[in-house]
Coordinates of all heavy atoms in Angstrom, one line a residue:
V195 N 17.7 -10.5 -9.2 CA 16.5 -10.2 -9.9 C 16.2 -11.4 -10.8 O 16.9 -11.7 -11.6 CB 16.6 -9.0 -10.8 CG1 15.4 -8.8 -11.7 CG2 16.7 -7.7 -9.9
L196 N 14.9 -12.0 -10.7 CA 14.6 -13.2 -11.4 C 13.7 -12.8 -12.6 O 12.9 -11.9 -12.6 CB 13.7 -14.2 -10.5 CG 14.5 -14.7 -9.3 CD1 13.6 -15.5 -8.5 CD2 15.7 -15.6 -9.8
R197 N 13.9 -13.5 -13.8 CA 13.1 -13.3 -14.9 C 12.2 -14.6 -15.2 O 12.8 -15.6 -15.3 CB 14.0 -12.9 -16.1 CG 13.1 -12.5 -17.4 CD 13.9 -12.2 -18.6 NE 14.4 -13.5 -19.3 CZ 15.6 -13.6 -19.9 NH1 16.4 -12.6 -19.9 NH2 16.0 -14.7 -20.4
F198 N 10.9 -14.4 -15.2 CA 10.0 -15.4 -15.5 C 9.4 -15.2 -17.0 O 8.8 -14.0 -17.1 CB 8.9 -15.6 -14.5 CG 9.3 -15.9 -13.1 CD1 9.8 -14.9 -12.2 CD2 9.3 -17.2 -12.7 CE1 10.2 -15.2 -11.0 CE2 9.8 -17.5 -11.5 CZ 10.2 -16.6 -10.5
A199 N 9.4 -16.1 -17.8 CA 8.8 -15.9 -19.1 C 7.3 -16.2 -19.1 O 6.8 -17.0 -18.3 CB 9.5 -16.9 -20.1
N200 N 6.6 -15.5 -20.0 CA 5.1 -15.8 -20.2 C 4.4 -15.8 -18.8 O 3.7 -16.7 -18.5 CB 4.9 -17.0 -20.9 CG 5.6 -17.1 -22.2 OD1 5.5 -16.2 -23.0 ND2 6.4 -18.2 -22.4
A201 N 4.6 -14.7 -18.0 CA 4.1 -14.6 -16.7 C 2.5 -14.8 -16.6 O 2.0 -15.3 -15.7 CB 4.5 -13.3 -16.0
A202 N 1.8 -14.3 -17.7 CA 0.4 -14.3 -17.7 C -0.2 -15.7 -17.7 O -1.3 -15.9 -17.4 CB -0.1 -13.4 -18.8
T203 N 0.6 -16.6 -18.2 CA 0.1 -18.0 -18.4 C 0.9 -18.9 -17.5 O 0.6 -20.2 -17.6 CB 0.2 -18.5 -19.9 OG1 1.5 -18.3 -20.3 CG2 -0.8 -17.6 -20.7
A204 N 1.8 -18.5 -16.7 CA 2.6 -19.3 -15.8 C 1.8 -19.9 -14.8 O 0.7 -19.4 -14.4 CB 3.7 -18.5 -15.2
V205 N 2.2 -21.1 -14.2 CA 1.5 -21.7 -13.2 C 2.2 -21.6 -11.9 O 3.4 -21.2 -11.8 CB 1.3 -23.3 -13.5 CG1 0.5 -23.4 -14.7 CG2 2.7 -24.0 -13.7
T206 N 1.5 -21.9 -10.7 CA 2.2 -21.8 -9.4 C 3.4 -22.6 -9.3 O 3.4 -23.8 -9.8 CB 1.1 -22.3 -8.4 OG1 0.0 -21.4 -8.3 CG2 1.8 -22.4 -7.0
G207 N 4.5 -22.0 -8.7 CA 5.7 -22.8 -8.6 C 6.6 -22.7 -9.8 O 7.7 -23.4 -9.9
A208 N 6.2 -21.9 -10.9 CA 7.0 -21.8 -12.1 C 8.5 -21.4 -11.8 O 8.7 -20.7 -10.8 CB 6.4 -20.8 -13.1
A209 N 9.4 -21.9 -12.5 CA 10.8 -21.6 -12.4 C 11.3 -20.4 -13.2 O 10.8 -20.2 -14.4 CB 11.7 -22.8 -12.8
A210 N 12.1 -19.6 -12.6 CA 12.7 -18.5 -13.4 C 13.7 -19.0 -14.4 O 14.3 -20.1 -14.2 CB 13.4 -17.5 -12.5
S211 N 13.9 -18.2 -15.5 CA 14.9 -18.7 -16.5 C 16.2 -18.0 -16.3 O 17.2 -18.5 -16.8 CB 14.3 -18.5 -17.9 OG 13.9 -17.1 -18.0
V212 N 16.3 -16.9 -15.7 CA 17.4 -16.1 -15.6 C 17.5 -15.4 -14.2 O 16.4 -15.1 -13.7 CB 17.5 -15.0 -16.7 CG1 18.5 -13.9 -16.4 CG2 17.7 -15.6 -18.0
A213 N 18.7 -15.3 -13.6 CA 18.9 -14.5 -12.4 C 20.0 -13.5 -12.7 O 21.1 -13.8 -13.2 CB 19.4 -15.3 -11.3
L214 N 19.7 -12.2 -12.5 CA 20.6 -11.1 -12.5 C 21.1 -10.8 -11.1 O 20.4 -10.9 -10.2 CB 20.1 -9.9 -13.1 CG 19.5 -9.9 -14.6 CD1 18.8 -8.7 -15.0 CD2 20.6 -10.3 -15.6
G215 N 22.5 -10.5 -11.0 CA 23.1 -10.3 -9.7 C 23.7 -11.5 -9.1 O 24.4 -11.4 -8.1
Q216 N 23.6 -12.6 -9.7 CA 24.2 -13.9 -9.2 C 24.8 -14.7 -10.5 O 24.3 -14.5 -11.6 CB 23.2 -14.8 -8.5 CG 22.7 -14.1 -7.3 CD 23.6 -14.0 -6.1 OE1 24.7 -14.6 -6.1 NE2 23.3 -13.0 -5.3
P217 N 25.8 -15.5 -10.2 CA 26.4 -16.2 -11.3 C 25.5 -17.5 -11.7 O 25.8 -18.0 -12.8 CB 27.7 -16.7 -10.7 CG 27.6 -16.8 -9.3 CD 26.6 -15.6 -9.0
N218 N 24.6 -17.9 -10.9 CA 23.7 -19.0 -11.2 C 22.4 -18.8 -10.4 O 22.2 -17.9 -9.7 CB 24.4 -20.3 -10.9 CG 24.9 -20.3 -9.5 OD1 24.2 -20.2 -8.5 ND2 26.3 -20.6 -9.3
L219 N 21.6 -19.8 -10.6 CA 20.2 -19.8 -10.0 C 20.1 -20.4 -8.6 O 19.0 -20.5 -8.0 CB 19.1 -20.3 -10.9 CG 18.7 -19.5 -12.1 CD1 18.2 -20.4 -13.3 CD2 17.6 -18.5 -11.7
T220 N 21.3 -20.8 -8.1 CA 21.4 -21.3 -6.7 C 22.2 -20.5 -5.7 O 22.5 -21.0 -4.7 CB 21.7 -22.9 -6.8 OG1 23.0 -22.9 -7.4 CG2 20.7 -23.6 -7.5
S221 N 22.5 -19.4 -6.2 CA 23.4 -18.5 -5.3 C 22.6 -17.3 -4.8 O 21.7 -16.8 -5.6 CB 24.7 -18.0 -6.1 OG 25.4 -19.1 -6.5
G222 N 23.0 -16.7 -3.7 CA 22.2 -15.6 -3.1 C 23.0 -14.6 -2.2 O 22.5 -13.8 -1.6
T223 N 24.4 -14.7 -2.5 CA 25.3 -13.8 -1.6 C 25.2 -12.4 -2.1 O 25.2 -12.2 -3.3 CB 26.7 -14.4 -1.7 OG1 26.7 -15.7 -1.3 CG2 27.6 -13.5 -0.8
A224 N 25.2 -11.4 -1.2 CA 25.2 -10.0 -1.6 C 26.6 -9.7 -2.2 O 27.6 -10.2 -1.8 CB 25.0 -9.1 -0.4
N225 N 26.6 -9.0 -3.3 CA 27.8 -8.6 -4.0 C 28.7 -9.8 -4.3 O 29.9 -9.8 -3.9 CB 28.5 -7.5 -3.3 CG 27.8 -6.2 -3.4 OD1 27.1 -6.0 -4.4 ND2 27.9 -5.3 -2.4
N226 N 28.2 -10.9 -4.8 CA 28.8 -12.2 -4.9 C 30.1 -12.1 -5.7 O 30.0 -11.7 -6.9 CB 27.9 -13.2 -5.6 CG 28.2 -14.6 -5.4 OD1 29.3 -14.9 -5.1 ND2 27.2 -15.5 -5.4
G227 N 31.2 -12.3 -5.1 CA 32.5 -12.2 -5.8 C 33.1 -10.8 -5.7 O 34.1 -10.5 -6.4
G228 N 32.3 -9.9 -5.1 CA 32.8 -8.5 -5.0 C 32.0 -7.5 -5.8 O 31.4 -7.9 -6.8
L229 N 31.8 -6.3 -5.3 CA 30.9 -5.3 -6.0 C 31.4 -5.0 -7.4 O 32.5 -4.7 -7.6 CB 31.0 -4.0 -5.1 CG 30.3 -2.8 -5.6 CD1 28.8 -3.1 -5.7 CD2 30.4 -1.6 -4.7
S230 N 30.5 -5.2 -8.3 CA 30.8 -5.0 -9.7 C 29.6 -4.7 -10.5 O 28.5 -4.5 -10.0 CB 31.4 -6.3 -10.3 OG 30.4 -7.4 -10.4
A231 N 29.6 -4.8 -11.8 CA 28.5 -4.5 -12.7 C 27.6 -5.6 -12.8 O 26.4 -5.5 -13.3 CB 29.0 -4.2 -14.1
S232 N 27.9 -6.8 -12.2 CA 27.1 -7.9 -12.3 C 26.6 -8.4 -10.9 O 26.1 -9.6 -10.8 CB 27.8 -9.0 -13.0 OG 29.0 -9.4 -12.5
T233 N 26.7 -7.7 -9.9 CA 26.3 -8.0 -8.6 C 25.3 -7.1 -8.0 O 25.2 -5.9 -8.4 CB 27.5 -8.2 -7.6 OG1 28.1 -6.8 -7.5 CG2 28.5 -9.1 -8.1
L234 N 24.6 -7.6 -7.0 CA 23.6 -6.8 -6.3 C 23.6 -7.0 -4.9 O 24.1 -8.0 -4.4 CB 22.1 -7.2 -6.9 CG 21.8 -7.0 -8.4 CD1 20.6 -7.7 -8.7 CD2 21.8 -5.5 -8.8
S235 N 23.0 -5.9 -4.1 CA 22.9 -6.1 -2.7 C 21.5 -5.4 -2.4 O 21.3 -4.2 -2.5 CB 24.0 -5.3 -2.0 OG 23.7 -5.3 -0.6
Q236 N 20.6 -6.3 -2.0 CA 19.2 -5.9 -1.7 C 18.5 -5.1 -2.8 O 18.2 -3.9 -2.7 CB 19.2 -5.0 -0.5 CG 19.5 -5.7 0.8 CD 19.5 -4.9 2.0 OE1 20.1 -3.9 2.1 NE2 18.8 -5.3 3.1
P237 N 18.4 -5.7 -4.0 CA 17.6 -5.0 -5.0 C 16.1 -4.8 -4.6 O 15.5 -5.8 -4.1 CB 17.7 -6.0 -6.2 CG 17.9 -7.3 -5.6 CD 18.7 -7.0 -4.4
Y238 N 15.6 -3.7 -4.7 CA 14.3 -3.4 -4.2 C 13.2 -3.1 -5.2 O 12.0 -3.3 -5.0 CB 14.3 -2.2 -3.1 CG 14.4 -2.7 -1.8 CD1 14.9 -1.9 -0.7 CD2 13.9 -3.9 -1.3 CE1 14.9 -2.3 0.6 CE2 13.9 -4.3 -0.1 CZ 14.5 -3.5 1.0 OH 14.5 -3.9 2.2

Side-chain angles (χ1 to χ4, degrees):
V195 172
L196 298 175
R197 188 182 77 211
F198 296 86
N200 304 312
T203 57
V205 297
T206 292
S211 54
V212 166
L214 299 174
Q216 298 293 337
N218 53 57
L219 282 157
T220 56
S221 302
T223 305
N225 292 329
N226 202 335
L229 178 56
S230 70
S232 56
T233 64
L234 297 170
S235 176
Q236 293 181 307
Y238 261 157

